[in-house]
Amino acid sequence: MEWQFFTEVLVGGLLSGVMYSLVAIGFVLIYKTSGVLNFAQGALLLFAALTFVSLAERGLPVWAAILLTLAAMTLIGALIERTVLRPLVNQPPITLFMATLGVSYVIEGAAQLLWGTQVHGLDLGIDDLPLEIGGVLISSFDLFAAAVAGAMVAALTLFFRYTRIGLGFRAVADDQLAALAVGLSLDRIWTAVWTAAGVVALVAGLLWGARLGVQFSLSLVVLKALPVLVLGGFDSIAGAIVGGLIVGAVEKLAEVYVGPFVGGGIEGWIAYVAALGFLLIRPSGLFGAKPVERV
Amino acid sequence: MTDLALEKTATGTVRRLSPAPFGIGVLLIVAYGVPPLVASEYLFDAILTPFLALALAGLGLNILTGYAGQVSLGSSAFMAVGAYAAYNLALRLPGLPFLLDILLAGLVAAAVGLLFGLPSLRLRGFYLAVSTLAAQFFVQWVFNKVGWFSNDSPSGIVTVPPLSVAGLPLDSSAGRYLFALGVVTAVTLAVWRLVESPTGRALVALRDHETAARVIGIPVLRVKLLAFAVSSFIIGVAGVLWAFAYLRTVEPAGFNLDRSFQILFIVIIGGLASLRGAFLGAALIVVFPLLLARLGEALLGGLFDSGVLEMSQRIVLGLLIITFLIAEPAGLTALLDRAWNRICGRFRRAG
């Protein structure tokens, strides 16, 4: 019984960790190709979910709402790239980070000014029934989310490996100057990256929105994704997945086995402390590239 | 051509004959003398006192971020530590002089800052920035969960004792303002000495290139921890002012992540690595929401309710950050410097 309960908590944690990975992948996409830690990813996620829900509530069919939201995300991504990041080329990474902090304020404000601040329910048509697998209860919604995350990672992997633009992403990530020299258009690639991040934000936003309700606090899932990134390394998609799994498991296990002794509510910081402890051993995360420095 | 040369020497002379000591003297006389004569209670309580507390917090963060180049997203945690430490010291050690109380609270904040600064010895850049969030969430959680810190108050909100220094009651709006001003003046002078000292230059070297700084013999680890300790001390004192001089209550929710971002924004907008920057940035951050509220009401009337106001504040604040980062990374300080030089140049040419 004890063992079964432990497994249940662990599996629940791992699956909820996949939800964190979904958010973290959006960060990794942008960080890998442009070296920007995009704090606005949470705001993008909020904007995507809010736009989709509001359009759907106005009676648009689901496919139309998704297409329109995608169009909006593409537009926003391109706009951010063009108006904020391009003028800041060659600035220190931390300046770019602070700029995206500003962007997140603008998007959060705009999203709620546009669509209002009330909480919207979002039903994806997936019942959250507990399934029994091998004597362990598992949420079917979590399983669905994990499947979506798996599909997305597979799609991204194929995209990076076999498509022309995906190869371009990798070239830019590897060496911007060399990519320019062989004739890749940095502008086009960055716009494409931001669009891709917008798509990821939409997927993550829909799943998180179905779980939490579509509201302002949705943009705070960015704070859940940061320890994931720290654990996995900012520039690795595999790291985002593994980091998410670890963070999810640690959070749930700590909540159940440590929480009662200290008054509960520790999921707000336990992931950070775990990530911090881990970083002290490996300063570049699990899969992060170790920077080489020249003076 | 001659015009250009003239302007060059003009600005050069202005630089050398720095108006700093004179200007600061005037500024202090104005700050101490004028508000008590003309300001209303509203002006003290809603603008001047919070401005001072936030400016001090900005000053503290500027040492860490502007001078030493370590970004922190957890500043308000140290404000909270300062505020709670001062409250508990006053509660549990009755008769403790308030100035000593502030000093001790600052030291407690410095100790906590040192603890959360330890990861900086191994981490850099984003990894460090994220790890400072650990301080933010952990400290907030502790003050929420452990009733002892708020004297087991059921609401978690505690009222601080009235402000008095050496038997002199300072509980009026003007009194609290003057007290805050005194603390801010003293700390600012101390920070000024610090950044002009070899230690201050070591901080800048650390920011500009850590490896190079190490190579030329700067004790990088010690300097980094020093930056964390000094910065947390000042932010802790700012927290005491925030609680005792401005709000007169303490609650964990007042020291959330948004407050940390606000302090970071003060530093960015005001100007990194500049003492004036913290004050200019804080002034803008305090005044602009009030202006925006007035403006919105005047333009849109009833449509401009508190929800719309909050959202438009977020948007404008975000736009301000982006604009400053792109157009004037050195912040309001640089804008002001340019304006000053231009005026002086005009003056010289005319004379």
Side-chain angles (χ1 to χ4, degrees), chain B residues 47-76:
Chain B
I47 298 179
L48 290 174
T49 312
F51 155 71
L52 284 174
L54 285 177
L56 193 61
L59 197 65
L61 182 63
N62 216 341
I63 291 185
L64 189 64
T65 302
Y67 286 93
Q70 318 287 313
V71 172
S72 163
L73 302 175
S75 313
S76 69

mmCIF file of all heavy atoms in Angstrom, chain B residues 47-76:
data_model
loop_
_atom_site.group_PDB
_atom_site.id
_atom_site.type_symbol
_atom_site.label_atom_id
_atom_site.label_comp_id
_atom_site.label_asym_id
_atom_site.label_seq_id
_atom_site.Cartn_x
_atom_site.Cartn_y
_atom_site.Cartn_z
ATOM 1 N N ILE B 47 3.372 60.171 -1.881
ATOM 2 C CA ILE B 47 4.430 60.364 -2.867
ATOM 3 C C ILE B 47 5.821 60.416 -2.229
ATOM 4 O O ILE B 47 6.687 59.590 -2.546
ATOM 5 C CB ILE B 47 4.189 61.654 -3.691
ATOM 6 C CG1 ILE B 47 2.875 61.516 -4.452
ATOM 7 C CG2 ILE B 47 5.343 61.905 -4.640
ATOM 8 C CD1 ILE B 47 2.519 62.701 -5.276
ATOM 9 N N LEU B 48 6.040 61.339 -1.319
ATOM 10 C CA LEU B 48 7.420 61.589 -0.892
ATOM 11 C C LEU B 48 8.017 60.426 -0.085
ATOM 12 O O LEU B 48 9.134 59.989 -0.361
ATOM 13 C CB LEU B 48 7.484 62.893 -0.082
ATOM 14 C CG LEU B 48 7.246 64.140 -0.926
ATOM 15 C CD1 LEU B 48 7.182 65.383 -0.056
ATOM 16 C CD2 LEU B 48 8.342 64.298 -1.971
ATOM 17 N N THR B 49 7.259 59.926 0.886
ATOM 18 C CA THR B 49 7.828 58.869 1.726
ATOM 19 C C THR B 49 8.024 57.558 0.949
ATOM 20 O O THR B 49 9.103 56.972 1.017
ATOM 21 C CB THR B 49 6.969 58.658 2.976
ATOM 22 O OG1 THR B 49 6.711 59.945 3.547
ATOM 23 C CG2 THR B 49 7.672 57.817 3.986
ATOM 24 N N PRO B 50 7.002 57.076 0.198
ATOM 25 C CA PRO B 50 7.278 55.862 -0.598
ATOM 26 C C PRO B 50 8.397 56.081 -1.605
ATOM 27 O O PRO B 50 9.182 55.163 -1.862
ATOM 28 C CB PRO B 50 5.952 55.574 -1.306
ATOM 29 C CG PRO B 50 5.139 56.786 -1.157
ATOM 30 C CD PRO B 50 5.597 57.471 0.089
ATOM 31 N N PHE B 51 8.484 57.302 -2.136
ATOM 32 C CA PHE B 51 9.575 57.598 -3.072
ATOM 33 C C PHE B 51 10.928 57.353 -2.409
ATOM 34 O O PHE B 51 11.811 56.708 -2.986
ATOM 35 C CB PHE B 51 9.463 59.047 -3.567
ATOM 36 C CG PHE B 51 10.767 59.644 -4.020
ATOM 37 C CD1 PHE B 51 11.367 59.214 -5.190
ATOM 38 C CD2 PHE B 51 11.403 60.618 -3.264
ATOM 39 C CE1 PHE B 51 12.575 59.745 -5.605
ATOM 40 C CE2 PHE B 51 12.608 61.148 -3.666
ATOM 41 C CZ PHE B 51 13.203 60.706 -4.835
ATOM 42 N N LEU B 52 11.070 57.862 -1.178
ATOM 43 C CA LEU B 52 12.355 57.699 -0.483
ATOM 44 C C LEU B 52 12.672 56.224 -0.242
ATOM 45 O O LEU B 52 13.797 55.774 -0.469
ATOM 46 C CB LEU B 52 12.322 58.449 0.853
ATOM 47 C CG LEU B 52 12.474 59.963 0.744
ATOM 48 C CD1 LEU B 52 12.274 60.619 2.095
ATOM 49 C CD2 LEU B 52 13.842 60.318 0.179
ATOM 50 N N ALA B 53 11.658 55.466 0.217
ATOM 51 C CA ALA B 53 11.904 54.052 0.511
ATOM 52 C C ALA B 53 12.291 53.302 -0.758
ATOM 53 O O ALA B 53 13.243 52.515 -0.770
ATOM 54 C CB ALA B 53 10.665 53.426 1.146
ATOM 55 N N LEU B 54 11.561 53.559 -1.856
ATOM 56 C CA LEU B 54 11.863 52.845 -3.101
ATOM 57 C C LEU B 54 13.209 53.275 -3.673
ATOM 58 O O LEU B 54 13.947 52.464 -4.228
ATOM 59 C CB LEU B 54 10.755 53.093 -4.133
ATOM 60 C CG LEU B 54 9.460 52.332 -3.879
ATOM 61 C CD1 LEU B 54 8.416 52.696 -4.908
ATOM 62 C CD2 LEU B 54 9.714 50.835 -3.881
ATOM 63 N N ALA B 55 13.522 54.582 -3.529
ATOM 64 C CA ALA B 55 14.807 55.055 -4.036
ATOM 65 C C ALA B 55 15.941 54.357 -3.312
ATOM 66 O O ALA B 55 16.934 53.950 -3.920
ATOM 67 C CB ALA B 55 14.911 56.574 -3.878
ATOM 68 N N LEU B 56 15.763 54.169 -1.999
ATOM 69 C CA LEU B 56 16.808 53.502 -1.226
ATOM 70 C C LEU B 56 16.947 52.043 -1.664
ATOM 71 O O LEU B 56 18.053 51.530 -1.809
ATOM 72 C CB LEU B 56 16.480 53.576 0.265
ATOM 73 C CG LEU B 56 17.629 53.206 1.198
ATOM 74 C CD1 LEU B 56 18.799 54.136 0.998
ATOM 75 C CD2 LEU B 56 17.177 53.230 2.645
ATOM 76 N N ALA B 57 15.801 51.395 -1.894
ATOM 77 C CA ALA B 57 15.853 50.011 -2.373
ATOM 78 C C ALA B 57 16.553 49.963 -3.730
ATOM 79 O O ALA B 57 17.373 49.077 -3.991
ATOM 80 C CB ALA B 57 14.451 49.427 -2.469
ATOM 81 N N GLY B 58 16.232 50.935 -4.586
ATOM 82 C CA GLY B 58 16.869 51.003 -5.902
ATOM 83 C C GLY B 58 18.376 51.183 -5.764
ATOM 84 O O GLY B 58 19.161 50.565 -6.478
ATOM 85 N N LEU B 59 18.759 52.022 -4.815
ATOM 86 C CA LEU B 59 20.181 52.263 -4.567
ATOM 87 C C LEU B 59 20.868 50.955 -4.175
ATOM 88 O O LEU B 59 21.958 50.636 -4.643
ATOM 89 C CB LEU B 59 20.313 53.284 -3.434
ATOM 90 C CG LEU B 59 21.646 53.980 -3.263
ATOM 91 C CD1 LEU B 59 21.933 54.845 -4.459
ATOM 92 C CD2 LEU B 59 21.628 54.804 -1.994
ATOM 93 N N GLY B 60 20.206 50.195 -3.307
ATOM 94 C CA GLY B 60 20.774 48.928 -2.867
ATOM 95 C C GLY B 60 20.929 47.955 -4.021
ATOM 96 O O GLY B 60 21.981 47.338 -4.198
ATOM 97 N N LEU B 61 19.882 47.845 -4.844
ATOM 98 C CA LEU B 61 19.945 46.923 -5.971
ATOM 99 C C LEU B 61 20.982 47.392 -6.987
ATOM 100 O O LEU B 61 21.638 46.589 -7.639
ATOM 101 C CB LEU B 61 18.570 46.799 -6.638
ATOM 102 C CG LEU B 61 18.528 45.818 -7.800
ATOM 103 C CD1 LEU B 61 18.839 44.408 -7.327
ATOM 104 C CD2 LEU B 61 17.185 45.850 -8.495
ATOM 105 N N ASN B 62 21.130 48.721 -7.092
ATOM 106 C CA ASN B 62 22.078 49.262 -8.059
ATOM 107 C C ASN B 62 23.511 48.834 -7.737
ATOM 108 O O ASN B 62 24.312 48.610 -8.632
ATOM 109 C CB ASN B 62 21.977 50.789 -8.095
ATOM 110 C CG ASN B 62 22.179 51.323 -9.491
ATOM 111 O OD1 ASN B 62 22.731 50.641 -10.350
ATOM 112 N ND2 ASN B 62 21.741 52.524 -9.733
ATOM 113 N N ILE B 63 23.811 48.701 -6.456
ATOM 114 C CA ILE B 63 25.158 48.234 -6.094
ATOM 115 C C ILE B 63 25.377 46.836 -6.649
ATOM 116 O O ILE B 63 26.406 46.542 -7.248
ATOM 117 C CB ILE B 63 25.315 48.223 -4.563
ATOM 118 C CG1 ILE B 63 25.323 49.656 -4.062
ATOM 119 C CG2 ILE B 63 26.588 47.491 -4.168
ATOM 120 C CD1 ILE B 63 25.578 49.766 -2.606
ATOM 121 N N LEU B 64 24.363 46.004 -6.480
ATOM 122 C CA LEU B 64 24.498 44.614 -6.909
ATOM 123 C C LEU B 64 24.411 44.493 -8.428
ATOM 124 O O LEU B 64 25.235 43.830 -9.058
ATOM 125 C CB LEU B 64 23.387 43.779 -6.255
ATOM 126 C CG LEU B 64 23.492 42.278 -6.417
ATOM 127 C CD1 LEU B 64 24.735 41.766 -5.731
ATOM 128 C CD2 LEU B 64 22.268 41.599 -5.838
ATOM 129 N N THR B 65 23.411 45.129 -9.021
ATOM 130 C CA THR B 65 23.158 44.942 -10.447
ATOM 131 C C THR B 65 23.922 45.951 -11.298
ATOM 132 O O THR B 65 24.560 45.600 -12.279
ATOM 133 C CB THR B 65 21.652 45.043 -10.727
ATOM 134 O OG1 THR B 65 20.982 44.070 -9.954
ATOM 135 C CG2 THR B 65 21.357 44.815 -12.194
ATOM 136 N N GLY B 66 23.853 47.231 -10.913
ATOM 137 C CA GLY B 66 24.482 48.276 -11.714
ATOM 138 C C GLY B 66 25.989 48.232 -11.617
ATOM 139 O O GLY B 66 26.691 48.271 -12.623
ATOM 140 N N TYR B 67 26.502 48.148 -10.393
ATOM 141 C CA TYR B 67 27.950 48.192 -10.220
ATOM 142 C C TYR B 67 28.576 46.818 -10.367
ATOM 143 O O TYR B 67 29.532 46.641 -11.100
ATOM 144 C CB TYR B 67 28.310 48.799 -8.862
ATOM 145 C CG TYR B 67 28.096 50.296 -8.834
ATOM 146 C CD1 TYR B 67 26.900 50.839 -8.400
ATOM 147 C CD2 TYR B 67 29.086 51.161 -9.285
ATOM 148 C CE1 TYR B 67 26.684 52.209 -8.400
ATOM 149 C CE2 TYR B 67 28.888 52.530 -9.302
ATOM 150 C CZ TYR B 67 27.685 53.046 -8.852
ATOM 151 O OH TYR B 67 27.482 54.393 -8.874
ATOM 152 N N ALA B 68 28.029 45.818 -9.655
ATOM 153 C CA ALA B 68 28.693 44.517 -9.655
ATOM 154 C C ALA B 68 28.176 43.591 -10.756
ATOM 155 O O ALA B 68 28.729 42.531 -10.975
ATOM 156 C CB ALA B 68 28.527 43.839 -8.303
ATOM 157 N N GLY B 69 27.082 43.998 -11.450
ATOM 158 C CA GLY B 69 26.631 43.242 -12.611
ATOM 159 C C GLY B 69 25.940 41.926 -12.304
ATOM 160 O O GLY B 69 25.850 41.066 -13.170
ATOM 161 N N GLN B 70 25.450 41.739 -11.078
ATOM 162 C CA GLN B 70 24.735 40.508 -10.740
ATOM 163 C C GLN B 70 23.242 40.821 -10.677
ATOM 164 O O GLN B 70 22.812 41.558 -9.798
ATOM 165 C CB GLN B 70 25.184 39.967 -9.381
ATOM 166 C CG GLN B 70 26.679 40.033 -9.148
ATOM 167 C CD GLN B 70 27.440 39.004 -9.950
ATOM 168 O OE1 GLN B 70 27.073 37.839 -9.984
ATOM 169 N NE2 GLN B 70 28.490 39.448 -10.621
ATOM 170 N N VAL B 71 22.471 40.278 -11.602
ATOM 171 C CA VAL B 71 21.051 40.603 -11.626
ATOM 172 C C VAL B 71 20.313 39.846 -10.527
ATOM 173 O O VAL B 71 20.491 38.648 -10.367
ATOM 174 C CB VAL B 71 20.434 40.263 -12.988
ATOM 175 C CG1 VAL B 71 18.931 40.413 -12.941
ATOM 176 C CG2 VAL B 71 21.006 41.181 -14.037
ATOM 177 N N SER B 72 19.505 40.578 -9.782
ATOM 178 C CA SER B 72 18.705 39.939 -8.741
ATOM 179 C C SER B 72 17.227 40.198 -8.994
ATOM 180 O O SER B 72 16.824 41.320 -9.258
ATOM 181 C CB SER B 72 19.081 40.493 -7.368
ATOM 182 O OG SER B 72 18.079 40.179 -6.424
ATOM 183 N N LEU B 73 16.437 39.128 -8.939
ATOM 184 C CA LEU B 73 14.998 39.273 -9.113
ATOM 185 C C LEU B 73 14.287 39.091 -7.786
ATOM 186 O O LEU B 73 13.082 38.897 -7.742
ATOM 187 C CB LEU B 73 14.484 38.239 -10.117
ATOM 188 C CG LEU B 73 15.120 38.279 -11.497
ATOM 189 C CD1 LEU B 73 14.617 37.132 -12.354
ATOM 190 C CD2 LEU B 73 14.814 39.586 -12.175
ATOM 191 N N GLY B 74 15.040 39.139 -6.683
ATOM 192 C CA GLY B 74 14.423 38.854 -5.387
ATOM 193 C C GLY B 74 14.581 39.983 -4.387
ATOM 194 O O GLY B 74 14.580 39.736 -3.188
ATOM 195 N N SER B 75 14.702 41.232 -4.873
ATOM 196 C CA SER B 75 14.992 42.338 -3.960
ATOM 197 C C SER B 75 13.967 42.472 -2.852
ATOM 198 O O SER B 75 14.323 42.733 -1.699
ATOM 199 C CB SER B 75 15.030 43.654 -4.728
ATOM 200 O OG SER B 75 15.783 43.529 -5.874
ATOM 201 N N SER B 76 12.680 42.297 -3.188
ATOM 202 C CA SER B 76 11.683 42.597 -2.165
ATOM 203 C C SER B 76 11.739 41.583 -1.029
ATOM 204 O O SER B 76 11.266 41.863 0.070
ATOM 205 C CB SER B 76 10.288 42.672 -2.767
ATOM 206 O OG SER B 76 9.867 41.409 -3.177
#
